[in-house]
Amino acid sequence: MPTSILGPYFRTIVTVSVIAAALVFSFTYARNGVYVEIQPLFEWMETTWFGYVGKTWGAAFATIQAGHLIGLAVLGGCVLVSDGRLLGVVLTDVPHRIVVDRADAVFRWALATLLVTGVFMACGVAMKIYYLPVYWYKMLGLACGILFHYYVRRPLVAHELGAINPIVLKMTAIASILVWFLVAATGRWIGFSG
Amino acid sequence: MSELIYNFAVWVDDTPWSAMLHESYYMYNWVESTHVLTLMISLGMLFLIDLRMLGWAFPDVPASKIADRLNIPMMVGFTVMFITGILLFYAVPVRSVQSVWFRIKMVLLVGCAINAYLFHKRMNESVSSWDNEAKAPQRIRNGAMLSLGFWTVVVICGRFIAYDWFDCDYPQSAFIEFVAGCVDGQTRF
Amino acid sequence: MNEENQSLTDGQNTGLKDAQTSALVAASAIIIFSAFYWFAQIQSVRELLELAYG
């Protein structure tokens, strides 16, 4: 148990703080300051080897995009199976702990694939995505998804399913599906923009 | 043969709904996005089933259970993909039928269907004897590997269709012209 | 021994409550944000289509 100065509701306090910080950041001028500050990073990304290959070798870029899609498919499968189990829709006759843990083991690899291929793709079109609002929505969704998955969802489902409030459990599963769908949909929309 | 396919594509292209769908920024993008995002349901489930057979996912869940339970959402996903895929073809028929990548994709999809049929047949025949094993027998594993490989190439080809490297309105080698089914004097793309 | 078990159970209960509360807060935030986001997206498409076609 965390015995910090924040008391027994450490996780809740951190969660509320992160959400509050994200809201303050998104709706104040703090965002504009950071946006300008990180422009050199995106300019640099285009000059890296990844950026060079992505820009000049179309076939490599498209193949990596396909790898990104395959990672997305596997990640989507894991999320739907795992959250579907929490919602009582799929694999209901398999203990939830087994489904959630085993799906998580594959989820990890899929997420790693998505991040690696995503960084490669971002380098190839860094200045394009820098000016695209939908890219930033995707990044916000991705950060939320990763934090939500590892900091909120996993500790919750580590407890006995029967002991967890069913409404909270279902809300967690729905939120998980929604956040990853948002990441996928905004990602697709990057291709149509700019 | 190529001319016949080309003429069919031109006829489809001439239907008013084809042009409307192609020219509609939002509708076309919604259809294409649905086609791509349904990967998460169809290929997501399929890959989990294949990975289970290879012993890389859900090794302690009976193989038959994974295959049976994930089959329904997978088929729902494939149905949506199939419908949106036809709509995408309907929107851009002439360029599609003369795309090398589209042609390879179609051949591979037939390969995928045959492999899936054989995979299920072999699995149903023998699953009772290895259902709880972490890895399926070699024959089933080969089918799973083939499925993973086929679908990976299908996704790559699907992505490549968007690129114009081998389009018929550029000068191409005789081989590419033959594989893509380029027709002399074609007037539209 | 009983006291040890009791404190373990208390700890687990508090852990569960903490995990549940944080999940409730985060899930609510995501669901509300998603509802606003998709409503805004659909609304903007509708407005654009109205501008284009009346």
Side-chain angles (χ1 to χ4, degrees), chain A residues 62 65 70 73 93 102 188 192, chain B residues 32-33 44 60 69 159-160:
Chain A
Q65 275 184 323
I70 288 162
D93 48 355
R102 301 302 176 266
R188 185 66 205 99
F192 296 133
Chain B
E32 204 190 29
S33 297
D60 45 1
R69 305 294 195 283
R159 198 66 279 266
F160 278 10

Side-chain angles (χ1 to χ4, degrees), chain B residues 2 21 26 38 40 91:
Chain B
S2 291
L21 183 56
Y26 283 112
T38 320
M40 293 165 84

Side-chain angles (χ1 to χ4, degrees), chain A residues 58-59 61-63 65-66 69-70 72-74 76-77 80-81 91 93-94 98-99 102 106 184-185 188-189 192, chain B residues 25 29 32-33 36-37 39-41 43-45 47-48 57-58 60-61 65 69-70 152 155-156 159-160 163 165:
Chain A
F61 189 77
T63 308
Q65 275 184 323
L69 284 176
I70 288 162
L72 175 74
V74 178
L80 289 173
V81 167
L91 291 170
D93 48 355
V94 180
I98 291 181
V99 177
R102 301 302 176 266
V106 184
R188 185 66 205 99
W189 214 256
F192 296 133
Chain B
Y25 175 73
N29 285 356
E32 204 190 29
S33 297
V36 175
L37 295 180
L39 276 176
M40 293 165 84
I41 307 175
L43 283 197
M45 300 296 158
F47 282 175
L48 287 184
F58 301 94
D60 45 1
V61 180
K65 220 170 239 185
R69 305 294 195 283
L70 302 192
T152 301
V155 174
I156 292 173
R159 198 66 279 266
F160 278 10
Y163 293 84
W165 310 311

Side-chain angles (χ1 to χ4, degrees), chain B residues 87-99:
Chain B
L87 285 173
L88 288 176
F89 172 79
Y90 181 60
V92 194
V94 180
R95 183 172 182 268
S96 298
V97 295
Q98 298 195 321
S99 160

Side-chain angles (χ1 to χ4, degrees), chain A residues 109-178:
Chain A
W109 285 104
L111 184 62
T113 307
L114 282 174
L115 292 176
V116 172
T117 52
V119 167
F120 177 90
M121 286 157 60
C123 287
V125 287
M127 287 319 289
K128 174 194 158 186
I129 55 174
Y130 175 77
Y131 290 110
L132 281 181
V134 72
Y135 168 76
W136 294 106
Y137 283 127
K138 179 177 163 137
M139 287 303 109
L140 178 71
L142 181 66
C144 280
I146 294 172
L147 283 174
F148 181 71
H149 186 86
Y150 286 107
Y151 194 70
V152 176
R153 187 180 173 280
R154 247 164 70 120
L156 178 74
V157 295
H159 291 93
E160 273 308 311
L161 198 61
I164 304 169
N165 183 317
I167 295 172
V168 174
L169 196 65
K170 286 187 171 37
M171 278 178 73
T172 306
I174 290 168
S176 170
I177 293 172
L178 278 176

